[in-house]
Amino acid sequence: MELETFKHTVLPLRGKLLNIALMLTENRADAEDVVQESFLKLWNIRKKLDQYRSVEALAVMVTKNTALDNLKARKPKASELEMTFLETGTGGPAERLEQKDAVDCIRQLIDRLPSLQQITIRMKDIEGYELSEIAEITGTQVETVRVNLSRARKRVREQFLEINKERYEYR
């Protein structure tokens, strides 16, 4: 596929690919990067594009895979909470195991939150974004972010305490 054919076949898909990347990354700048990277990948295999039944389907698949790869690469290996627990170095293996269980439990509780609260708490407490940055990314007001963050933290705390209360009652 030559440059002109590529321009007429692949580049018009930009809007569709951007929407797909935006759904996966939930960040406009990251979505733009994913689409650009996808276009580069498609350009690098341009001579083989004529062999595909649907270049559009291929472009969608490349974009989806690129977005997922970027999310995996960007995902923090350990949350600040986990690092705080593990860096203390105090206590024996039993205490460290309990701390690891607590971190796993908190992660599961965060996964159960409504999506906006989940996004907000992850961006603030795990990825370290500022409230104004979260507001810009999510398209909400700073006060809304603050309220969602507060509600998310309160809900996680209450559920965590409830779970631990039940655990210790059975001992």
Side-chain angles (χ1 to χ4, degrees), residues 4 15 31 38-39 48-49 107 149-150 152 154 160 163:
E4 286 303 313
S38 299
F39 280 157
K48 299 177 186 175
L49 289 180
R107 280 192 178 138
L149 183 60
S150 175
K154 180 179 179 187
F160 182 76
I163 288 169

Side-chain angles (χ1 to χ4, degrees), residues 71-88:
L71 287 172
K72 287 177 193 170
R74 196 181 75 175
K75 186 177 180 182
K77 300 295 182 215
S79 70
E80 288 181 24
L81 175 66
E82 185 174 348
M83 292 309 292
T84 302
F85 277 143
L86 299 178
E87 285 175 357
T88 59

Side-chain angles (χ1 to χ4, degrees), residues 20 22 37 40 82-83 107 109 145 152-153 163 167:
I20 291 167
L22 195 54
E37 194 174 334
L40 283 173
E82 185 174 348
M83 292 309 292
R107 280 192 178 138
L109 293 173
V145 172
R153 287 175 175 165
I163 288 169
R167 278 186 190 164

Side-chain angles (χ1 to χ4, degrees), residues 56 60 90-91 98 112 121 153:
E56 181 177 347
V60 167
T90 59
E98 271 190 43
R112 290 189 217 150
I121 199 168
R153 287 175 175 165

